[in-house]
Amino acid sequence: MSKLIRLAVLGATGRMGRAVIATALDDPRFEIVAAYSRERTGEDAGAIAGRQACGVGISDELEPVVAAGDVAIDFTRPEFMQAVTQACVTSGRALVSGTTGMDDSARAALENAARKIPVFWAPNMSIGVNLLLAALADVASRIGDDYDAEIVEAHHRHKVDAPSGTALALGEVLAVARGKPLTEISDFAREGRREVRETGRIGFHSIRAGEIVGEHDVRLVSAGEEIRLGHSAFSRDAFAAGALRAAVWLQGREPGLYGMRELLDLSAK
């Protein structure tokens, strides 16, 4: 039997942290050895995730938690990225991160860490979403600016960043196909604007309501037809499974910044 992969889960009491713990406890390839959160310290990680107690208490000491595992799975907040990456670099541990809403300093921390340790980052850990990104790239490369692009995303009422990281990733795919920076052709709100839609721009719309797990729809509309591509997540298990798949794939990798394109072998597609 191959060696168990020891996981340190960061953001363990959050929605995604609990999903990762629950999914890993059901998977014989993994062992939960440490869990970090600034909330519910001392409580059992398995019990918090809705499983039987696993004997791992929630700790608010980041460095020892990271050092205990083979790989850290991070679903914290972007403002913690500097501390998370520093702890991983210091301990020489691989990092899988699904944290979104990062600013330039958080992204720089991730990129700097990737020079010393293997880092896997994806704004969405769902395999289906990343296949959607690949499909959109193919479609977008074959149509012109005469197809208006609108991206609609919906998430639970507790999500703090908008648009979602996945919506922005979809927008980046469209912007690349149109040969312009996304920042130059994005429309995030139209309230108070009395003007016709400008050709070539990409519209974003965010819904925050109830406990919606995650929905993303891309509508490409010309004068005569519409192309619709989308993805709906039914539970957070899809994202947890993707993060765990990334943790397996990352074992033995050289330092570098990896993502779903490498995991799914989409780089040349």
Side-chain angles (χ1 to χ4, degrees):
M1 181 177 178
S2 59
K3 177 178 175 291
L4 291 176
I5 299 174
R6 299 175 301 163
L7 299 180
V9 181
L10 315 182
T13 59
R15 289 170 176 78
M16 276 307 307
R18 297 197 304 270
V20 167
I21 291 169
T23 305
L25 287 173
D26 293 337
D27 192 320
R29 296 174 297 174
F30 302 101
E31 179 184 6
I32 302 291
V33 296
Y36 167 81
S37 176
R38 299 196 299 179
E39 301 175 349
R40 304 178 69 173
T41 57
E43 295 188 42
D44 188 272
I48 286 176
R51 295 292 192 271
Q52 291 186 347
C54 65
V56 175
I58 302 295
S59 171
D60 60 0
E61 297 184 24
L62 179 61
E63 291 79 6
V65 166
V66 169
D70 298 317
V71 56
I73 297 186
D74 164 51
F75 284 97
T76 56
R77 297 278 291 272
E79 57 265 32
F80 300 140
M81 186 56 68
Q82 183 68 51
V84 167
T85 53
Q86 184 58 56
C88 289
V89 168
T90 299
S91 300
R93 300 297 187 259
L95 172 63
V96 174
S97 179
T99 295
T100 61
M102 292 189 294
D103 60 15
D104 290 342
S105 63
R107 290 181 181 275
L110 204 65
E111 292 168 359
N112 290 336
R115 298 188 179 97
K116 300 176 181 177
I117 59 171
V119 174
F120 186 101
W121 178 78
N124 191 307
M125 290 289 178
S126 159
I127 301 302
V129 161
N130 286 279
L131 293 175
L132 169 62
L133 288 163
L136 179 60
D138 183 51
V139 171
S141 70
R142 302 172 189 275
I143 61 174
D145 286 357
D146 53 331
Y147 282 78
D148 295 328
E150 298 287 314
I151 298 171
V152 183
E153 55 96 355
H155 286 85
H156 54 86
R157 67 193 309 273
H158 310 283
K159 187 171 178 61
V160 296
D161 55 314
S164 68
T166 301
L168 292 173
L170 292 164
E172 288 285 0
V173 168
L174 292 169
V176 167
R178 296 181 178 201
K180 296 179 181 178
L182 180 60
T183 53
E184 292 184 5
I185 57 174
S186 299
D187 284 327
F188 295 107
R190 297 193 176 101
E191 182 180 358
R193 293 170 57 178
R194 298 180 58 82
E195 57 189 30
V196 299
R197 191 189 200 286
E198 184 179 341
T199 299
R201 299 191 67 80
I202 301 168
F204 289 85
H205 311 274
S206 297
I207 297 169
R208 297 290 176 267
E211 293 297 330
I212 300 171
V213 174
E215 299 176 1
H216 294 87
D217 289 289
V218 182
R219 302 179 64 169
L220 304 169
V221 189
S222 72
E225 64 179 1
E226 177 182 7
I227 305 167
R228 300 186 71 169
L229 298 91
H231 176 272
S232 295
F234 304 135
S235 79
R236 291 179 179 82
D237 293 350
F239 309 118
L244 293 175
R245 181 169 171 177
V248 172
W249 184 86
L250 209 57
Q251 298 302 296
R253 299 282 171 183
E254 294 295 322
L257 183 58
Y258 304 100
M260 281 290 180
R261 294 192 69 82
E262 290 80 17
L263 175 63
L264 299 176
D265 193 23
L266 297 172
S267 298
K269 302 295 187 295

